[in-house]
Each structure stands twice: as C-alpha cells, then as structure tokens.
Amino acid sequence: MGSGTAAGLQIFRAGAEGLGPDLQTWNDPQTWKHTYEGLADGLLCFAQDLFGTQFALDSEAHVVRFDPETAERTILGDSLEHWAQWLLADPDVHGAHAFATSWQDRHGPLTHDQRLIPLRFFTLGGTYEDDNLAVKDAAQCMRIRGPLTQTLYSLPDGAHFQMTSTPPPSDPDLLSHHALEVFADYSTLLIQDDDARLGEPEPTWFEALVENWINAAPGIVGIGAARPFDVPVTVDVRRTPPADDDVELQQADHVTQASLTLSSGRLLISMQDFDDELPRIPLTPGTYAVRVYSHGLRTISEDGLDGEDRYHVVLWPTDEDHPAQVLKRYPEPLPGG
C-alpha cells in the first residue's frame, strides 16, 4: 500500500513498496523519536502535514495532533473518521492545504521524503515567509527539532527564555537577535551552556581573562566588561560567520573570539548566577564560534562607574576549534581590571 499525499498532507505507507516514509520505519525510535527523549513515546504516527506536524494514535487509542516544536498533544477524536472530519472542516488551517499549493506553484513540489522546516522555529517567532523556510528530509526535520523541544519542555516553571524577532530581510543569515541587560560582576561575564559550571579555576584563568577579556573552559567562554554594573549585551545567532570584510571588527574597540560547546541547548549569560529568572536562549546543541565586539570603551569615566560601553556577541555553528584569542586589541589598558 503506497503513501497518500495531498497538498499539505502525507499519509505514511504500509509495506515495503511505495513512495515516502513507511509506517514502521517512521515510528522506529531511531528514525527521529529518540531526539525527543520520551516526549514522542506512545505515539503511532500515521500522517504529517507540510511542516512535520504529526497525526498519531496515542496509547489510549485517541487520534492526536503532535506539535513537533512543543511536543504538545491535542486530541482530535477517537477514530480516523473523527480525524478526517476535523481535517476536512478546514483543510487550509488543519492540513496546510492552501500554503502547500502556493509553495508548490512558486517552487515546485517536494519529493515524498521532504518537508519544510523553519530556520527560526515558529515557537520562537519565526514566520512563514520563504526566507525562513528550508526544504529538508522529513526525518531530519524532526531530528533537528527534537533537542529544541527538549530545551523548552525542560525549563523549570517560571524560567525565562529569550524570544526572538524576525531576521531583517537584509541579513537572511541572522537566525535570532536578543537584547539583554546583564550584571557584569567583577567586570566579567560568562557566556555558557546552562549546565556548565566554572567552579573555582586557578587564579591564572582569571588573570588571562582580565588581561585579554577572553578565556574559555568546557562549556564556558569568559569575557571582560568595562564596568561592574548592568551592561547592554546583544546576542546574534547566525547560520554563517561574519563576512570577511567584517566592518564591525574595524569599528569595535576590542574584539575577541573562542569556541563554545553547547550541550544542553540553552545559552546563559551571567556571572555564575543560575537564577531561574535569568533568560535562557534556546539553541540547537552543538559547537559554536563566539565573537565578542566591545564598543564604547573610550566613554568610560575616570572613576570607572559611568560610560556608554556595549557588547555585541555573535555566535555561529562551527566544526573548527577556535582557541580563546584577541582579534583586535584596545590600544590602551583595558578598563575594569
């Protein structure tokens, strides 16, 4: 029996012959469910829409809608007939029919093994515009979402995470932008994986941090700041590194770079403060290059208490090791030491 595919909706095939995912393989935990670490357990998924929203039978024989970004399960009925009635009541909304037809008219049809995935997830403010959508293998789409879903699901009650806005059309490689005010205790900040802990490193670790405004430890990048107060920090997450003709590198007073391994999928910027009220930035787990542009150092008052300093943190995925280094050094003694 082959798979059935209408615009926006795909029903998985049963048996070895046919196109698209087969029912047994799709529901094998190693196809994609393992990345959700239990959040998709007990579901027999039999169909999906254009964006990978799953339709499934749960352990109590309910037909449910499974949101791949939040793991939320919505009961649609107690039979496939109920599901079909729900679907046909508004196929454009419930099955993405109109959007799928429009996409196909503009870009051509997807293959039977492909779905659309937002580059910035809808949960985090991503849009349905073409520049936020990518065509990928359907199972890969689910595996990409799994870690983010775990991150959002595992945040403690009351915890904050940083919502994002739509990337400017002029910079399609920008995935998310975050504007923060962060307390720079002892004129230092830690850009870190939420599960990493610095502990009590050797004094030389902090000495290097004070001298260069950059140092690294497992899951942590330490940076310097000019004042031991709340300072403005903007964080941009990109698909790609900054351009070779990095204009901001020329404009900034001091620029540093290092690698950061993010295992938890939650980025935290603080100074060994893990309060639930501090915002966490959800990111796909992996290794990132971190570049820090420090601006406004010449505005610091003589007593070091006032100034218009600001810090721009840029991250992008990398397979390379970036040792902690100064890319551009401030020509005067760094303030805040």
Side-chain angles (χ1 to χ4, degrees):
M1 177 179 177
S3 67
T5 304
L9 182 70
Q10 180 181 55
I11 300 175
F12 304 136
R13 60 185 171 88
E17 297 182 1
L19 299 173
D22 71 89
L23 194 66
Q24 182 175 353
T25 302
W26 187 257
N27 285 282
D28 187 306
Q30 294 306 309
T31 300
W32 60 267
K33 290 183 180 180
H34 67 288
T35 65
Y36 283 77
E37 292 194 353
L39 297 179
D41 287 359
L43 295 180
L44 176 65
C45 300
F46 61 84
Q48 63 180 341
D49 72 9
L50 182 68
F51 303 105
T53 297
Q54 301 295 302
F55 299 104
L57 294 172
D58 68 10
S59 57
E60 298 180 356
H62 297 131
V63 180
V64 300
R65 177 185 183 274
F66 178 78
D67 188 313
E69 293 187 6
T70 66
E72 180 181 1
R73 303 184 186 193
T74 304
I75 296 177
L76 304 179
D78 296 323
S79 68
L80 293 179
E81 182 179 357
H82 290 160
W83 171 69
Q85 291 172 351
W86 171 86
L87 189 68
L88 294 174
D90 195 340
D92 291 341
V93 173
H94 297 163
H97 175 82
F99 190 97
T101 301
S102 176
W103 174 275
Q104 179 172 314
D105 290 343
R106 298 193 310 275
H107 304 285
L110 303 182
T111 71
H112 290 271
D113 292 311
Q114 292 177 330
R115 295 288 95 179
L116 295 182
I117 185 170
L119 299 174
R120 179 182 299 178
F121 294 160
F122 302 132
T123 307
L124 301 178
T127 72
Y128 289 83
E129 299 298 326
D130 285 2
D131 60 3
N132 189 50
L133 298 173
V135 177
K136 291 185 180 295
D137 175 80
Q140 182 184 8
C141 290
M142 300 301 290
R143 291 193 295 268
I144 289 171
R145 289 183 174 105
L148 174 67
T149 304
Q150 290 180 50
T151 297
L152 299 179
Y153 195 88
S154 63
L155 285 174
D157 290 342
H160 291 250
F161 65 92
Q162 188 70 20
M163 296 298 288
T164 63
S165 57
T166 304
S170 60
D171 191 0
D173 286 329
L174 180 63
L175 295 176
S176 65
H177 173 80
H178 316 265
L180 309 174
E181 289 282 336
V182 185
F183 180 55
D185 199 9
Y186 296 101
S187 295
T188 54
L189 296 169
L190 299 182
I191 304 168
Q192 66 169 87
D193 183 274
D194 195 15
D195 288 342
R197 297 295 182 267
L198 183 61
E200 297 183 5
E202 294 294 326
T204 54
W205 194 90
F206 280 106
E207 290 171 5
L209 177 58
V210 171
E211 180 181 355
N212 297 318
W213 277 21
I214 189 72
N215 209 347
I220 295 171
V221 173
I223 66 172
R227 298 176 297 126
F229 302 110
D230 287 346
V231 295
V233 178
T234 57
V235 181
D236 286 332
V237 183
R238 299 176 52 84
R239 297 190 191 92
T240 58
D244 292 337
D245 59 341
D246 189 347
V247 175
E248 189 173 10
L249 189 146
Q250 306 303 320
Q251 297 173 339
D253 294 321
H254 189 77
V255 183
T256 57
Q257 186 167 294
S259 290
L260 173 67
T261 298
L262 196 76
S263 301
S264 72
R266 300 183 301 275
L267 182 74
L268 174 66
I269 302 180
S270 71
M271 185 53 193
Q272 301 205 65
D273 184 356
F274 306 100
D275 191 288
D276 289 345
E277 292 297 317
L278 294 175
R280 273 70 171 174
I281 298 174
L283 292 176
T284 301
T287 300
Y288 292 82
V290 180
R291 184 174 296 180
V292 183
Y293 303 90
S294 302
H295 296 268
L297 303 189
R298 299 182 188 279
T299 68
I300 304 301
S301 61
E302 290 186 7
D303 60 9
L305 300 180
D306 298 303
E308 297 179 5
D309 52 318
R310 56 187 176 86
Y311 307 89
H312 183 200
V313 179
V314 179
L315 300 93
W316 65 92
T318 183
D319 295 326
E320 302 176 12
D321 179 39
H322 295 268
Q325 60 182 308
V326 177
L327 300 183
K328 178 183 179 182
R329 183 173 291 277
Y330 188 52
E332 302 174 15
L334 287 164

